[in-house]
């Protein structure tokens, strides 16, 4: 029979009272959060009233109309903030000699621990190798290097929470762990930020500075802002080895990038060519596919674009007539969404089987603007049913047209310049105009010439630069490209063969599809900030049409040697000019797993920790980062950079929206950890780079989502909440109220430890775990549940399903330890002399439970674990972060499955009795109880648990009624399954007349709900099973109330017979 938890039938475990007379702890100060004063007596009374109402509702099981999550979230009230104020130098161990503060306060708990962990070296593999539980195995992982451009958002926090939990678990179990920290130089993003800052603060453009001066500005910005990321990682408790921190622009990384470029070039996998690239006119640089946002437009849409004075219309199909040469009245009408590219047209194409144009095959058309003759070509790629079935061919500005042009030998005409203006090939009347201003002029000329045939709505996908907001242009540029076909085939084979494991496995389909259709990778970027490409142009006189000659080298001297060999001339006589472009940021990021370990040098770290044990990251980086790491890692090191990849979903807000600055729903992890006022949230928005329209939308959305600001939740609550979401499903929808609920869970653990420490006393000496033997069935039960929790945690960590771990820990601490065992053991601990068994069990639950919790809630676990007395006979671990993680095997002897099944029956009886108490409004009385089973063997099941049953059900004496004996008259009665009847004394404890009127009112309310549910038409999407469950629940409650009314009336008719039953 399943274990049934009890929280719905009793008030939440708000705190276990410590002994009176606790000494006052002067270094602790309390202050209210900025939203109000500390909780007053009136607030506490109101809270207790709400809890009583909630308890009554849950116990009665009233099934009312369901409310939306937004409606059910109540305004939070500020909590008392307790500060740790004992003078402690950074790196010194926190003073835990005083008593615990009366309530959990994240700021108190999280103070001072992290610098001490770092100073002691707990996060270094060299320290872990000396641990008593050392396994000799290694576990290595790198953090996905966050961009240096700004602060970490909640998605980064999810990455850190998952990775740190895995890392801490491996460390505690005895593995030698290396978790590499680092940050990415984020070429485009960083340069854009610094350029905006220079213009805003000094009115200076980048090109007004020399390259060296601008790079000096970027490095100064990096030193000022780059530390913010590390600060946030520390605040999240990330147990990184900071002595091995790297930055993708530091000297070691730069050497790795240069070496990789040279080796790939020598292997024929890196070449220079003139091809179409994604071009951002606002940035004047090529950008990667991941920086292109493909925005779907339903039809006509106006957008404001950088550098364009007026809004630009998109989602329109413009029809233009191309006259047929030699036939004055004949024309071919072409549909286009980009009339500004008309000057670059070199042909018009139709499908060879389109009968509308068969008679025109081989004919020439007159260009409607330029007047030159264009061929009408046939190509099977044309879709005859789209538009007019005729398309213009612009090879210089369309990937599809470039392929078609190559098939037909058409020369491209580049009519849009790098800055987004029209080139000289367009003629004087268009040259220098912004391309979208030129569009309007072109349409005006077409109308004047009678060649414009109208426009219509046209759904389309518009490529937008995510960095600048500009529309992407496809431009022909001479750039450096990485050949990906051969390396991509190896990456696909690695997954197919099982050498590389992707989890969840459904990502394998995307992986195989991407590598099956992969093109070459443009790695040139027209920036100053980044790794300058180690390629040199040989400056020489060339004949017309002769291609440039380039050489590659680790240094200019090496490049000069290569140039001398290529030209046959002495190197000293040659003039070399280095490519001013830099490499795509993703190029250096793809090297991170081995460049961070010292590659190409044969370092000890590279030999010991490479390949990495695991790569964990967001699923949105699977192809652009993980795929490229696999390609370059395999090519350059001869082995996969890691054998396992764990991918977590994207974090969205509670409405399912992607987190975006323009929506105002981006969550800073530090705001959730420390709490923040609404005014501060709004000021953060205003200090950003949003335009006025976006700012207004974002500010309004922020006020709606966080009308009272964000409450202080603490690091542990945030980490635990993030890890509680499984990685196997879809996107993670996170709400602050969910994290706040987890803070309440932290408070439960805090109060449990206060109770346990008080129960142990100052002279308590723990027994070794192997010697601990339960002295009562309740002791045996909680130890069995503890062993089960250890087994489930181990299973979750081994399978990297952290939601299993969080569920097991939440269930043990809340539903097993706090709600059941601690409540049941209170009367036992009040006995004098103290029994020996329960304190030892309490200690083991605290010790092992906190160690189980430590990978997910490191600060809370450390704060509480440090206050436990040490076990004799063995030197204690200095920190819970390096204490042995409880293994399922070592605790398996505590498992008693049959006892758990028997006690779950007792818990069912507790639920029934609490429901009866709620029905008859027995708030303070402790009625006697009888249990009667029709199965003789079942009597013994309850007999050993009669005392905890009475305690948990808040009843008086509990007895057993022999099978077949007459039921006590006037007692409330309720079934417990098919074989057991529960009787609860009512005589003298309730006023039947008062209760009958109350029950009548409750019955009327329930009947009204039932009638309304029956009469209501089911809403769209409402499951019929859900509707039937509501009906059944209401009918069941009405039946219970009718039975209670019957008992009360029977009680009114019978004489009082106190003491007639002996329990």
């Amino acid at each position: 029979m399943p274990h049934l938890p009890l929280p719905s039938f009793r008030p939440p475990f708000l705190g276990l009272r410590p002994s009176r007379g606790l000494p006052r702890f002067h270094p602790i100060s309390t202050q209210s959060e900025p939203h109000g004063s500390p909780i007053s007596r009136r607030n506490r009374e109101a809270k207790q009233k709400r809890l009583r109402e909630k308890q009554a509702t849950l116990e009665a099981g009233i099934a009312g109309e369901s409310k939306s999550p937004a409606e059910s979230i109540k305004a939070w009230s500020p909590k008392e903030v307790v500060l740790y104020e004992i003078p402690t130098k950074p790196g010194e161990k926190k003073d835990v000699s005083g008593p615990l503060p009366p309530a959990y306060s994240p700021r108190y708990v999280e103070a001072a621990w992290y610098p001490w962990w770092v100073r002691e070296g707990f996060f270094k593999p060299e320290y872990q190798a000396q641990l008593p539980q050392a396994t000799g195995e290694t576990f290595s992982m790198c953090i996905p290097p966050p961009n240096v451009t700004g602060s970490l958002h909640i998605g980064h926090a999810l990455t850190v929470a998952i990775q740190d939990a895995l890392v801490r678990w491996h460390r505690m179990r005895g593995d030698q762990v290396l978790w590499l920290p680092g940050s990415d130089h984020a070429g485009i993003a960083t340069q854009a930020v610094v350029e905006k800052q220079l213009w805003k603060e000094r009115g200076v453009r980048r090109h007004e500075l020399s390259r060296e001066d601008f790079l000096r500005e970027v490095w100064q910005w990096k030193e000022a802002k780059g530390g913010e990321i590390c600060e946030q990682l520390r605040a999240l408790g990330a147990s990184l080895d900071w002595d091995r921190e790297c930055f993708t622009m530091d000297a070691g990384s730069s050497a790795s990038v240069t070496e990789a470029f040279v080796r790939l070039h020598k292997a024929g996998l890196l070449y220079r060519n003139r091809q179409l690239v994604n071009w951002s006119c606002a940035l004047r640089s090529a950008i990667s596919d991941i920086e292109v946002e493909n925005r779907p437009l339903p039809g006509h849409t106006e957008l404001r674009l950088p550098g364009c004075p007026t809004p630009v219309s998109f989602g329109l199909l413009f029809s233009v007539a191309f006259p047929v040469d030699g036939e004055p009245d004949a024309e071919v009408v072409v549909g286009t969404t980009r009339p500004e590219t008309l000057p670059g047209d070199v042909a018009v194409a139709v499908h060879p089987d389109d009968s509308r144009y068969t008679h025109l095959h081989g004919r020439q058309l007159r260009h409607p603007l330029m007047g030159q003759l264009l061929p009408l070509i046939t190509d099977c790629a044309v879709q005859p049913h789209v538009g007019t079935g005729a398309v213009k061919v612009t090879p210089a500005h369309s990937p599809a047209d470039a392929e078609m042009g190559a098939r037909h030998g058409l020369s491209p005409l580049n009519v849009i310049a790098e800055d987004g203006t029209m080139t000289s090939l367009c003629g004087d009347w268009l040259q220098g105009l912004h391309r979208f201003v030129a569009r309007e002029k072109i349409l005006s000329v077409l109308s004047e010439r009678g060649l414009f045939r109208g426009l219509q709505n046209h759904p389309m996908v518009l490529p937008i630069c995510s960095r600048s907001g500009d529309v992407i242009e496809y431009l022909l540029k001479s750039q450096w490209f990485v050949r990906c076909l051969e390396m991509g085939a190896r990456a696909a084979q690695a997954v197919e063969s099982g050498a590389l494991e992707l989890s969840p496995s459904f990502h394998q389909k995307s992986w195989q599809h991407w590598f099956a259709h992969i093109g070459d990778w443009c790695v040139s970027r027209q920036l100053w900030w980044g790794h300058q490409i180690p390629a040199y142009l040989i400056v020489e006189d060339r004949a017309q049409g002769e291609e440039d000659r380039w050489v590659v080298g680790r240094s200019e001297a090496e490049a000069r040697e290569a140039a001398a060999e290529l030209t046959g001339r002495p190197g000293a006589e040659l003039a070399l000019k280095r490519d001013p472009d830099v490499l795509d940021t993703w190029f250096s990021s793809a090297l991170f797993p081995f460049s961070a370990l010292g590659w190409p040098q044969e370092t000890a770290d590279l030999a010991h920790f490479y390949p990495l044990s695991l790569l964990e990251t967001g699923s949105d980086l699977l192809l652009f980062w993980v795929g490229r790491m696999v390609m370059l890692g395999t090519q350059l090191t001869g082995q996969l950079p890691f054998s396992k990849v764990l991918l977590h979903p994207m974090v969205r807000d509670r409405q399912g929206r992607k987190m975006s600055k323009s929506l105002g729903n981006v969550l800073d992890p530090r705001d959730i950890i420390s709490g923040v006022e609404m005014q501060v949230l709004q000021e953060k928005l205003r200090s950003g780079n949003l335009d006025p329209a976006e700012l207004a939308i974002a500010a309004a959305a922020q006020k709606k989502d966080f009308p009272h600001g964000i409450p202080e939740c603490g690091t542990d609550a945030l980490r635990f909440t993030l890890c509680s979401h499984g990685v196997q499903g879809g996107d993670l929808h996170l709400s602050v109220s969910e994290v706040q609920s987890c803070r309440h869970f932290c408070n439960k653990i805090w109060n449990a430890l206060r109770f346990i420490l008080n129960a142990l006393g100052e002279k308590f000496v723990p027994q070794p775990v192997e010697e601990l033997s339960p002295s009562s069935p309740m002791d045996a039960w909680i130890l069995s549940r503890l062993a089960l929790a250890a087994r489930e945690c181990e299973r979750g960590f081994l399978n990297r399903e952290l939601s299993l771990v969080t569920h097991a820990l939440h269930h043990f601490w809340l539903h097993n330890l706090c709600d059941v065992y601690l409540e049941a053991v209170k009367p036992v601990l009040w006995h004098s002399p103290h029994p020996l068994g329960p304190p030892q069990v309490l200690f083991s639950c605290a010790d092992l439970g906190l160690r189980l919790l430590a990978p997910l809630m490191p600060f809370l676990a450390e704060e509480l674990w440090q206050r436990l007395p040490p076990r004799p006979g063995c030197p204690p671990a200095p920190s819970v972060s390096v204490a042995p993680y409880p293994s399922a095997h070592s605790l398996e002897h505590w498992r008693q499955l049959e006892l758990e099944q028997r006690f779950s029956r007792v818990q069912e009886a507790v639920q029934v009795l609490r429901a009866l108490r709620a029905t008859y409004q027995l708030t303070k009385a402790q009625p006697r109880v009888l249990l009667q089973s029709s199965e003789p063997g079942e009597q013994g099941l309850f007999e050993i648990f009669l005392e905890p049953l009475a305690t948990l059900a808040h009843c008086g004496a509990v007895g057993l009624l022999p099978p077949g004996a007459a039921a006590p008259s006037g007692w409330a009665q309720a079934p417990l399954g098919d074989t057991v009847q529960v009787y609860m004394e009512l005589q003298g404890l309730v006023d039947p007349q008062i209760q009958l009127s109350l029950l009548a009112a409750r019955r009327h309310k329930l009947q009204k709900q039932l009638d309304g549910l029956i009469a209501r038409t089911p809403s769209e999407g409402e499951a019929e099973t859900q509707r039937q469950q509501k009906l059944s629940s209401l009918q069941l409650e009405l039946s219970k109330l009718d039975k209670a009314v019957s008992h009360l009336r029977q009680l009114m008719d019978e004489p009082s017979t106190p003491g007639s039953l002996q329990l």
Side-chain angles (χ1 to χ4, degrees):
M1 188 168 293
H3 166 61
L4 300 175
L6 307 182
S8 297
F9 295 95
R10 61 184 302 271
F13 179 75
L14 295 176
L16 298 167
R17 297 187 182 89
S19 62
R20 298 179 180 177
L22 282 174
R24 188 176 181 184
F25 189 28
H26 294 285
I28 300 174
S29 72
T30 62
Q31 62 183 37
S32 63
E33 293 190 7
H35 310 286
S37 59
I39 299 175
S40 64
R41 177 182 177 185
R42 184 174 59 185
N43 288 340
R44 287 196 298 272
E45 291 171 350
K47 184 176 181 181
Q48 290 166 1
K49 180 181 178 182
R50 290 196 301 270
L51 291 173
R52 287 196 299 271
E53 291 171 350
K54 181 179 178 182
Q55 176 193 358
T57 302
L58 290 171
E59 291 174 337
I62 297 174
E65 295 293 327
S66 62
K67 296 183 179 180
S68 68
E71 291 173 336
S72 62
I73 296 173
K74 296 182 179 180
W76 54 272
S77 57
K79 298 291 187 291
E80 191 174 45
V81 174
V82 182
L83 301 179
Y84 173 79
E85 294 188 331
I86 298 178
T88 304
K89 294 180 181 178
E92 284 187 355
K93 186 176 180 180
K94 187 175 183 178
D95 189 338
V96 293
S97 59
L100 288 172
Y104 169 72
S105 180
R107 294 188 209 181
Y108 176 89
V109 170
E110 294 164 21
W113 288 121
Y114 195 92
W116 177 65
W117 289 335
V118 172
R119 193 201 68 176
E120 293 297 310
F122 296 146
F123 304 158
K124 300 187 68 60
E126 293 81 2
Y127 181 95
Q128 300 144 29
Q130 303 171 18
L131 292 175
Q133 71 269 28
T135 62
E137 298 179 9
T138 61
F139 181 80
S140 55
M141 191 164 61
C142 68
I143 192 171
N147 288 352
V148 74
T149 46
S151 59
L152 300 176
H153 56 62
I154 203 67
H156 295 124
L158 174 62
T159 301
V160 171
I162 293 172
Q163 291 192 3
D164 194 46
L166 293 171
V167 160
R168 286 177 178 272
W169 176 71
H170 276 281
R171 189 180 293 125
M172 291 177 71
R173 76 193 294 254
D175 296 340
Q176 194 175 4
V177 174
L178 173 61
W179 188 19
L180 281 166
S183 55
D184 192 282
H185 65 279
I188 292 176
T190 303
Q191 180 161 314
V193 167
V194 176
E195 285 192 66
K196 286 181 181 179
Q197 180 176 293
L198 283 173
W199 176 250
K200 185 177 181 180
E201 295 180 357
R202 290 156 53 183
V204 174
R205 299 292 187 189
R206 168 168 63 104
H207 291 284
E208 297 177 39
L209 302 175
S210 68
R211 183 168 187 155
E212 291 71 23
D213 288 341
F214 178 76
L215 290 179
R216 191 176 299 112
E217 294 285 345
V218 180
W219 277 108
Q220 290 175 359
W221 179 92
K222 187 266 177 185
E223 294 304 318
K225 297 291 186 179
E228 185 175 351
I229 292 173
C230 297
E231 178 189 340
Q232 285 183 292
L233 291 173
R234 288 178 167 88
L236 288 168
S239 55
L240 294 151
D241 185 353
W242 291 106
D243 290 341
R244 288 176 165 91
E245 181 185 2
C246 59
F247 175 53
T248 54
M249 277 289 286
D250 61 24
S253 294
S254 296
S256 299
V257 168
T258 300
E259 183 67 25
F261 191 96
V262 171
R263 290 194 189 186
L264 290 172
H265 184 261
K266 285 186 177 179
L269 295 173
L270 208 153
Y271 65 97
R272 186 175 177 85
N273 193 24
R274 183 175 171 81
Q275 294 182 24
L276 279 184
V277 298
N278 301 321
W279 188 266
S280 171
C281 297
L283 299 174
R284 299 193 189 187
S285 174
I287 63 173
S288 67
D289 290 342
I290 199 172
E291 288 154 336
V292 177
E293 175 195 344
N294 290 308
R295 186 180 301 176
L297 303 179
H300 182 213
T301 306
E302 289 193 344
L303 299 176
R304 288 192 174 273
L305 302 175
C308 197
T310 57
V312 183
S313 293
F314 295 94
L316 294 173
L317 187 67
F318 302 87
S319 296
V320 181
F322 284 67
V324 179
D325 186 46
E327 294 188 30
D329 296 327
E331 64 183 25
V332 175
V333 178
V334 170
T336 178
T337 60
R338 300 292 311 277
E340 62 273 16
T341 62
L342 275 166
D345 293 348
V346 296
V348 171
V350 297
H351 194 279
D353 299 332
D354 192 337
S355 59
R356 293 173 292 177
Y357 303 108
T358 304
H359 67 289
L360 296 176
H361 289 185
R363 300 292 296 274
Q364 289 190 313
L365 309 178
R366 184 71 60 182
H367 195 290
L369 291 176
M370 318 304 289
Q372 78 269 28
L373 294 177
L374 307 179
L376 185 128
I377 62 175
T378 59
D379 195 289
C380 292
V382 178
Q383 297 175 292
H385 302 297
V386 176
T388 63
V391 297
K392 66 190 198 70
V393 183
T394 320
H397 300 289
S398 164
D401 290 5
E403 294 178 7
M404 189 181 297
R407 287 195 294 270
H408 295 272
L410 301 172
S411 298
L413 294 177
N414 196 349
V415 297
I416 297 179
E418 293 181 356
D419 62 355
T421 61
M422 308 304 286
T423 68
S424 60
L425 294 178
C426 303
D428 293 342
W429 65 292
L430 289 177
Q431 182 179 359
L433 288 180
H434 190 285
R435 62 196 187 282
F436 294 124
V437 174
R439 172 193 285 193
E440 300 304 318
K441 195 167 185 178
I442 287 170
L443 291 173
S444 177
V445 170
L446 289 171
S447 297
E448 291 173 5
R449 297 180 181 181
L451 297 174
F452 181 56
R453 296 292 178 264
L455 55 83
Q456 63 188 63
N457 261 354
H458 182 71
M460 63 180 293
V461 175
L462 189 67
I464 300 287
C465 173
S466 64
R467 301 295 183 188
S468 67
D470 200 4
V471 173
I472 291 297
E473 293 295 336
Y474 299 104
L475 299 187
L476 277 171
K477 304 295 293 182
S478 292
Q479 308 276 269
W480 291 95
F481 293 85
V482 174
R483 299 186 199 277
C484 295
L485 190 62
E486 179 185 337
M487 291 189 293
R490 286 203 299 263
Q493 176 60 28
V495 169
E496 189 173 341
S497 67
L500 179 62
E501 175 189 328
L502 302 182
S503 179
S505 59
F506 62 75
H507 290 293
Q508 293 179 12
K509 184 176 180 180
S510 299
W511 181 273
Q512 299 296 2
H513 180 270
W514 194 66
F515 282 112
H517 299 85
I518 195 169
D520 288 351
W521 171 20
C522 174
V523 293
S524 294
R525 297 293 179 266
Q526 289 62 47
L527 305 170
W528 285 354
W529 173 246
H531 299 283
Q532 190 171 355
I533 294 174
Y536 299 79
L537 173 66
I538 302 174
V539 181
E540 55 188 344
D541 294 330
R542 300 187 307 277
Q544 184 69 28
E546 187 179 349
E547 293 184 355
D548 290 341
R549 292 201 286 183
W550 291 80
V551 290
V552 170
R554 296 172 181 84
S555 63
E556 184 175 339
E558 187 174 301
R560 197 169 291 278
E561 291 177 10
E565 184 178 343
L566 180 65
T567 61
R569 295 165 54 191
E573 298 179 3
L574 297 173
L576 300 182
K577 181 181 179 182
R578 187 168 181 178
D579 191 335
D581 292 350
V582 301
L583 285 165
D584 181 8
T585 302
W586 292 101
F587 188 87
S588 55
S589 297
L591 311 178
F592 194 75
F594 47 97
S595 66
L597 294 170
W599 185 89
Q601 304 300 319
E602 296 180 358
T603 64
D605 278 356
L606 189 67
H608 195 61
F609 296 108
Y610 186 82
L612 303 180
S613 307
L614 176 70
L615 190 282
E616 197 284 331
T617 189
S619 56
D620 55 324
L621 296 179
L622 172 63
L623 306 176
F624 295 101
W625 187 45
V626 180
R628 288 167 175 169
M629 282 190 289
V630 170
M631 285 197 302
L632 296 191
T634 306
Q635 174 66 32
L636 296 171
T637 70
Q639 50 189 330
L640 288 167
F642 32 76
S643 58
K644 293 181 176 61
V645 179
L646 179 64
L647 299 158
H648 64 251
M650 179 180 289
V651 182
R652 296 182 180 271
D653 67 11
R654 72 183 183 194
Q655 300 174 41
R657 301 174 303 173
K658 183 178 179 179
M659 292 196 178
S660 165
K661 291 180 181 178
S662 60
L663 292 176
N665 62 349
V666 173
L667 292 173
D668 186 332
R670 290 177 299 180
D671 289 342
I672 300 178
I673 291 170
S674 303
V676 64
E677 292 179 308
M678 167 53 64
Q679 294 88 333
V680 177
L681 287 174
Q682 297 274 291
E683 183 56 38
K684 283 187 178 183
L685 280 180
R686 288 191 288 269
S687 64
N689 295 318
L690 298 179
D691 64 42
E694 287 180 322
L695 179 60
I697 295 172
Q702 199 176 65
K703 286 181 179 178
K704 181 179 178 182
D705 286 344
F706 312 114
H708 307 283
I710 297 176
E712 180 192 35
C713 297
T715 299
D716 290 316
L718 175 60
R719 289 169 53 116
F720 197 87
T721 303
L722 291 170
C723 290
S724 68
H725 292 266
V727 300
Q728 299 294 340
D731 292 338
L732 187 159
H733 295 185
L734 183 72
S735 66
V736 173
S737 59
E738 188 181 3
V739 187
Q740 190 180 9
S741 176
C742 196
R743 175 191 164 140
H744 299 155
F745 174 54
C746 293
N747 194 57
K748 301 274 278 188
I749 297 172
W750 182 268
N751 286 329
L753 261 293
R754 292 182 71 229
F755 174 84
I756 290 172
L757 291 171
N758 184 63
L760 297 182
E762 296 181 359
K763 298 180 179 179
F764 174 79
V765 178
Q767 289 179 344
V769 174
E770 57 274 11
E771 296 180 12
L772 180 60
S773 178
S775 60
S776 71
M778 282 307 300
D779 290 350
W781 175 80
I782 192 61
L783 292 177
S784 182
R785 300 302 292 179
L786 177 58
L788 174 64
R791 189 185 72 182
E792 290 300 293
C793 288
E794 187 172 281
R795 183 167 71 94
F797 276 119
L798 287 172
N799 295 326
R800 301 186 181 94
E801 272 289 349
L802 298 186
S803 58
L804 297 178
V805 181
T806 57
H807 176 77
L809 290 170
H810 187 269
H811 198 78
F812 170 75
W813 275 98
L814 187 62
H815 301 317
N816 296 157
L817 184 62
C818 293
D819 284 350
V820 178
Y821 183 74
L822 294 187
E823 293 297 322
V825 83
K826 281 180 183 179
V828 178
L829 292 174
W830 292 338
H831 294 167
S832 184
H834 264 4
L836 298 178
Q840 294 293 343
V841 172
L842 286 172
F843 174 83
S844 289
C845 287
D847 174 34
L848 299 175
L850 290 172
R851 282 193 267 154
L852 290 172
L853 191 68
L856 295 116
M857 291 186 169
F859 293 103
L860 179 61
E862 189 76 86
E863 181 73 35
L864 297 175
W865 190 81
Q866 289 286 348
R867 298 169 184 271
L868 292 174
R871 294 185 188 271
C874 58
S879 165
V880 72
S881 63
V882 290
Y885 198 82
S887 70
H889 176 73
S890 65
L891 304 181
E892 193 60 32
H893 64 282
W894 282 347
R895 285 304 312 279
Q896 295 191 43
L897 186 58
E898 183 180 351
L899 179 70
E900 290 187 31
Q901 292 173 340
R902 294 172 70 183
F903 188 68
S904 67
R905 192 75 165 140
V906 174
Q907 289 180 285
E908 291 176 29
V910 171
Q911 291 183 26
V912 170
L913 287 167
R914 288 182 174 176
L916 284 174
R917 290 177 59 87
T919 300
Y920 293 99
Q921 304 287 302
L922 296 175
T923 54
K924 296 182 180 180
Q926 293 189 327
R928 294 180 297 170
V929 171
L930 288 172
L931 302 176
Q932 184 180 43
S933 174
S934 59
E935 299 290 337
E938 201 170 15
Q939 297 279 92
L941 181 152
F942 293 101
E943 193 167 5
I944 61 173
F945 289 112
L946 291 182
E947 186 174 345
L949 173 57
T951 302
L952 295 172
H954 307 296
C955 293
V958 179
L960 300 174
L961 194 63
S969 61
W971 286 40
Q973 179 181 352
L976 179 60
D978 297 329
T979 59
V980 177
Q981 291 293 322
V982 177
Y983 301 98
M984 188 176 70
E985 180 184 24
L986 295 180
Q987 191 76 44
L989 300 178
V990 298
D991 185 324
Q993 289 183 337
I994 294 176
Q995 288 300 316
L996 281 171
S997 63
L998 292 174
L999 291 177
R1002 291 169 64 187
R1003 195 192 191 289
H1004 175 75
K1005 183 178 179 180
L1006 287 176
Q1007 187 65 53
K1008 187 176 180 180
Q1009 292 180 14
L1010 179 62
D1011 294 341
L1013 187 60
I1014 293 172
R1016 181 171 59 84
T1017 303
S1019 60
E1020 185 179 350
E1022 181 180 14
E1024 180 59 25
T1025 54
Q1026 185 180 8
R1027 175 181 165 84
Q1028 290 300 325
Q1029 287 173 353
K1030 291 179 181 179
L1031 287 170
S1032 299
S1033 179
L1034 285 168
Q1035 289 164 349
L1036 178 62
E1037 292 309 313
L1038 284 169
S1039 174
K1040 289 181 180 179
L1041 288 181
D1042 289 342
K1043 197 169 185 179
V1045 168
S1046 175
H1047 282 144
L1048 287 170
R1049 286 175 177 164
Q1050 181 183 0
L1051 194 64
M1052 293 175 67
D1053 297 336
E1054 293 178 358
S1056 174
T1057 54
S1060 58
L1061 287 170
Q1062 298 298 320
L1063 300 181

